[in-house]
Amino acid sequence: MEYSTLDNKILIFDKSQFCPKHIMECGQLFRFWFDEKTNSYKVVSGNRLATLVEYKDRVEVETDDIPYFINYFDLDRDYNIIKEKIKDNVFVKTAIDSCEGLRILRQDLLETIISFIVSANNNIKRIKLILNRMAENAGENMGDYFAFPTYEQLKDKDENFFASIGAGYRAKYLKKFLIQYKDFKKANYAVLATDELRKKLIELAGVGPKVADCILLFAYNRTDSFPVDTWMEKAYFDFFCKQKRTRPEIAKYFVKKYGDLSGFAQQYLFYYKSNKLS
DNA sequence: TTCCAGGGATATA
DNA sequence: TATATCCATGGA
């Protein structure tokens, strides 16, 4: 996709490939805030901030770290080619039309794993609440916002800390995960093939098949993964096939169908279904 | 009051 | 390997 930079801004004129609302509100990240007064989104990734301001003819991404957010927003990928390739089904076509300009982000690994451990059997509003309280109570105060906590800031927190910010029964998973994470990070599993990497992720506390697929897609950019949650299970039965399958089997069904474009198809369908646009 | 949310861990067979 | 049950919390 074409874009340019000017001072502390990234300028994007092709709004069909970059819509702040659709990128932010599709459930792949949780630390963002919409400001009605300025019609803009603020998004925090780790300790970095970007502000997305939408105008009639363009979107401006304001940030102090332009290279980081060029990668974060995956700006060098052409989504119009992808959209054309997966429009094989009227529901996918309708889903894409409902959220054109959605992009899959390249997010920080630790923040993504923690976010999706918290997401299990939870709703987006409460996931955001829990993660923001985690940042406010353990992360660095950056003035206008709180950074997501680093591993060093989290590793000595006990289970009670995570319970106190509302994580519920996931508190013990988070504590156990942090103990496992040091060796996980050291192992450099990023070189593994997607299926092997998924197995390693599932060994982590609080990470099952669905959460692993979210980590694969949103942190490792493995677009040959297809997270199946309660909404995608509904989409499968409503739009694709009446045959009863478990969630991992539904995921395999879609990966066989969409291959390396599975993750994109999944995000369009998730946005469409979870926002009850059908 | 009951159901549900970007499910996972555990027990049981 | 396959199924059933339990799990904190808060909004609908």
Side-chain angles (χ1 to χ4, degrees):
Chain A
M1 184 190 67
E2 289 190 22
Y3 59 91
S4 57
T5 60
L6 180 64
D7 299 328
N8 66 331
K9 294 177 183 175
I10 306 168
L11 308 180
I12 298 151
F13 287 89
D14 186 355
K15 291 171 70 173
S16 76
Q17 293 202 53
F18 194 105
C19 172
K21 175 182 171 62
H22 296 155
I23 293 170
M24 293 295 117
E25 309 277 0
C26 72
Q28 63 181 323
L29 76 162
F30 304 99
R31 301 204 66 224
F32 65 90
W33 301 267
F34 180 66
D35 181 2
E36 290 185 5
K37 292 178 184 174
T38 57
N39 190 33
S40 66
Y41 282 92
K42 289 190 181 303
V43 52
V44 172
S45 173
N47 63 355
R48 297 173 176 85
L49 171 71
T51 305
L52 311 182
V53 190
E54 185 163 4
Y55 300 93
K56 283 184 180 177
D57 65 331
R58 67 187 187 281
V59 177
E60 294 186 359
V61 180
E62 301 177 14
T63 174
D64 292 333
D65 196 336
I66 284 178
Y68 180 83
F69 282 101
I70 286 176
N71 177 68
Y72 180 83
F73 288 111
D74 197 23
L75 292 187
D76 290 314
R77 190 190 300 271
D78 187 331
Y79 274 66
N80 285 337
I81 294 173
I82 294 166
K83 284 183 274 189
E84 286 306 315
K85 284 183 179 173
I86 61 178
K87 276 187 179 178
D88 63 323
N89 171 304
V90 63
F91 296 108
V92 175
K93 184 171 168 51
T94 307
I96 291 173
D97 290 343
S98 77
C99 53
E100 211 184 26
L102 188 161
R103 307 182 72 81
I104 293 178
L105 304 175
R106 294 174 179 268
Q107 301 187 61
D108 175 76
L109 178 60
L110 177 65
E111 183 169 351
T112 303
I113 297 176
I114 289 174
S115 296
F116 283 91
I117 289 174
V118 169
S119 81
N121 196 25
N122 210 340
N123 59 69
I124 290 176
K125 186 171 183 178
R126 206 165 77 87
I127 297 164
K128 294 174 70 166
L129 186 68
I130 293 165
L131 294 174
N132 283 328
R133 287 199 286 231
M134 192 182 297
E136 289 158 13
N137 288 283
E140 184 179 355
N141 186 343
M142 307 296 287
D144 295 337
Y145 61 96
F146 284 88
F148 193 83
T150 63
Y151 174 70
E152 285 299 315
Q153 288 169 326
L154 288 174
K155 67 181 176 66
D156 294 324
K157 297 293 186 184
D158 59 10
E159 180 180 330
N160 196 269
F161 167 76
F162 298 109
S164 74
I165 60 173
Y169 61 85
R170 306 166 198 82
K172 62 176 178 291
Y173 303 157
L174 290 167
K175 180 58 195 175
K176 189 174 176 185
F177 157 71
L178 287 165
I179 294 169
Q180 295 172 292
Y181 184 70
K182 189 173 183 180
D183 287 338
F184 180 90
K185 183 73 175 177
K186 201 188 315 179
N188 188 29
Y189 291 134
V191 300
L192 295 177
T194 300
D195 285 342
E196 298 305 311
L197 182 52
R198 180 183 290 104
K199 289 177 186 172
K200 295 297 181 185
L201 286 167
I202 289 175
E203 292 176 6
L204 298 170
V207 179
K210 187 272 175 182
V211 170
D213 282 340
C214 285
I215 297 164
L216 286 168
L217 184 56
F218 302 136
Y220 290 99
N221 206 262
R222 300 300 179 93
T223 59
D224 56 338
S225 59
F226 193 102
V228 177
D229 69 332
T230 179
W231 296 109
M232 294 312 300
E233 192 174 24
K234 292 180 176 72
Y236 165 78
F237 288 115
D238 291 350
F239 303 155
F240 290 88
C241 185
K242 301 298 181 190
Q243 182 184 335
K244 184 172 171 59
R245 284 183 165 93
T246 64
R247 290 187 182 185
E249 286 168 349
I250 293 171
K252 286 183 181 177
Y253 167 90
F254 280 111
V255 172
K256 184 176 180 182
K257 185 174 177 58
Y258 291 111
D260 287 337
L261 302 180
S262 298
F264 303 105
Q266 195 275 350
Q267 276 308 105
Y268 294 122
L269 286 166
F270 175 82
Y271 188 100
Y272 181 59
K273 196 65 179 173
S274 66
N275 284 288
K276 298 178 173 56
L277 301 175
S278 63

